[in-house]
Every structure is written in C-alpha cells, then in structure tokens.
Amino acid sequence: MDFDSQTPKYLTRKENIIKLILFTAAFALVFINVFQPFNSRQWLTEMSSLRYFLLSSMLVIVGMAVVAISRVIMYKNYGKTKMGLPILSYLLWVLVEWTSMAVTFAFIEKLLFADQRDFFELMKVSLSNTACVLLLPYAILWLYFSWDDKNERLKKIHEAGRSLINHDSYLPNMVNFYDKNGDARFSVKAKDLVYVQGADNYINVKYMDGQRLSTC
C-alpha cells in the first residue's frame, strides 16, 4: 500500500460517513449484547435482559458520538473540499478514533460501574473490545465502498458506451470516453483499444499508438 497516495474520495463522502456511523453503531450493539465485554454479565446478574440492552445502547450512543464528531471534522476538512487526505493520515485518524473510544469506555467502566481493576488493565480490555467494535466494521465498509464505487464507475462507462450511437461526436469504429458532464474527453479506434482499468476515481485507457502501448 502506498501510504503517500490519497485516500479514496468515497471514504469522505457525506452519505458514506452516515452509513459508516449507522452500521458501526448496529454492529457495536450486537457485539456488546452477544459477547458481553468486561465480563459484564458476571457482575450484572440481577439486571434484566431489557435493562442490559438499554445500558448497552447508551454505551453505543456515547461511543458513536466520538466517531460522529471525528467524522464531521473529517468531512468538513476533506469531504467538502478538493484537499486530499493521505492514506497514512486516514489510518492515523482511525487510530485516534479507536483510542478515544477505548479511553471513553474504560472511564465509564471505572467511574460509572466502579470496576475495581486497575485502569491500565481496563484499557487493555477496552482496546481489544473496541478493535472489534470499530475496526472490524470499518474494514468491512471500506471493502463495500470500494466495490460500490467500482460498480458505479463501470455503470457510467457502460452508459457512456450506449449513448455513443446518439452522440453528435460519434464516429464509426471509434470508442469515445466522456467526463461526468457528458463532454468527450478522449477517442480511440476500437481496433487499437487494449483494455480499460479502474483506478480510484478515474480510469486508465490502454491503447496501441502505432507499435507502442500508451495510456490515457
């Protein structure tokens, strides 16, 4: 992975940030109720399942507030602007989110529930649990957003190809490529076209220029 390259824009889009927060919240709620971190059921034996669910929901809301604040800042600085966010910076950003949520949960466990364990021991447990709550859904969504983005770009290429026969600049035996506004950006003879490769938010067109393989 090239850490100096820019983070794909689909990770800082508003709609994807909302999906990330909602999916992570749902994942965290299921994780807390199924795996019951901090051995919570051992010292909350008298609490009903409904009260435990409500308590876990409160913890999820607190944790997601940390993520939401972080992602709003990310969106305002990178999602709404043309400024790129290097992948290394994005990974460090996630690391800060993970650590901040772990600290928040450890303090809640220590102060609200009077856990007698040492705070650093609680932090170790919290970091482990938070990695499952946060990093696993992040990884799943990164793969999903990447797959969805590639599908969208392939769909646009397909639609552009279908519109060639109705386009003013269409020429027989030529393949035209258009930008998002429908303006022709590049044309190549069909017999010279080798393949089209998706690359983040753009495509690379490989074609033969005489005896030389060129890229556009």
Side-chain angles (χ1 to χ4, degrees):
M1 179 182 291
D2 184 3
F3 292 106
D4 292 326
S5 61
Q6 300 300 306
T7 300
K9 273 296 183 180
Y10 54 73
L11 290 177
T12 55
R13 289 177 190 158
K14 183 179 180 179
E15 61 272 19
N16 285 348
I17 287 177
I18 294 174
K19 290 177 183 177
L20 179 141
I21 294 173
L22 294 177
F23 178 77
T24 305
F27 187 94
L29 191 59
V30 172
F31 176 85
I32 291 175
N33 281 274
V34 172
F35 293 97
Q36 300 167 0
F38 296 106
N39 298 318
S40 53
R41 268 309 193 187
Q42 293 183 13
W43 47 270
L44 292 175
T45 53
E46 297 180 359
M47 181 178 290
S48 67
S49 297
L50 177 59
R51 289 191 62 189
Y52 186 85
F53 177 79
L54 294 175
L55 176 63
S56 63
S57 298
M58 181 196 72
L59 292 176
V60 168
I61 291 173
V62 172
M64 287 303 102
V66 175
V67 175
I69 292 172
S70 170
R71 294 291 160 154
V72 167
I73 295 173
M74 180 186 291
Y75 174 70
K76 288 187 174 181
N77 284 278
Y78 299 101
K80 295 177 66 175
T81 67
K82 294 183 179 180
M83 184 185 305
L85 177 64
I87 288 181
L88 180 59
S89 298
Y90 180 82
L91 295 177
L92 291 175
W93 198 299
V94 171
L95 178 62
V96 171
E97 288 179 344
W98 172 30
T99 306
S100 300
M101 186 180 288
V103 170
T104 300
F105 285 159
F107 269 113
I108 290 175
E109 178 73 13
K110 188 70 174 177
L111 301 178
L112 188 59
F113 300 109
D115 196 307
Q116 298 302 310
R117 284 176 289 181
D118 181 76
F119 181 77
F120 291 102
E121 178 65 24
L122 287 177
M123 271 299 300
K124 288 171 58 179
V125 177
S126 186
L127 284 169
S128 176
N129 290 327
T130 307
C132 296
V133 168
L134 200 67
L135 302 186
L136 187 55
Y138 276 17
I140 293 172
L141 285 176
W142 192 330
L143 291 174
Y144 170 75
F145 291 151
S146 175
W147 170 82
D148 187 59
D149 182 71
K150 285 181 172 59
N151 275 352
E152 284 297 319
R153 287 189 281 112
L154 288 173
K155 186 185 298 184
K156 290 178 180 178
I157 293 173
H158 179 69
E159 291 174 352
R162 291 182 61 184
S163 66
L164 285 176
I165 58 175
N166 299 317
H167 202 282
D168 293 340
S169 61
Y170 172 72
L171 294 175
N173 301 321
M174 296 293 292
V175 178
N176 298 342
F177 295 89
Y178 303 92
D179 60 21
K180 62 181 180 180
N181 297 318
D183 297 325
R185 305 297 298 179
F186 175 71
S187 298
V188 62
K189 292 181 180 180
K191 66 181 183 65
D192 292 333
L193 182 63
V194 179
Y195 65 88
V196 179
Q197 179 184 38
D200 292 333
N201 295 323
Y202 56 92
I203 60 172
N204 290 325
V205 180
K206 299 288 186 177
Y207 64 98
M208 295 304 299
D209 183 9
Q211 300 298 317
R212 182 169 58 90
L213 181 64
S214 298
T215 303
C216 181

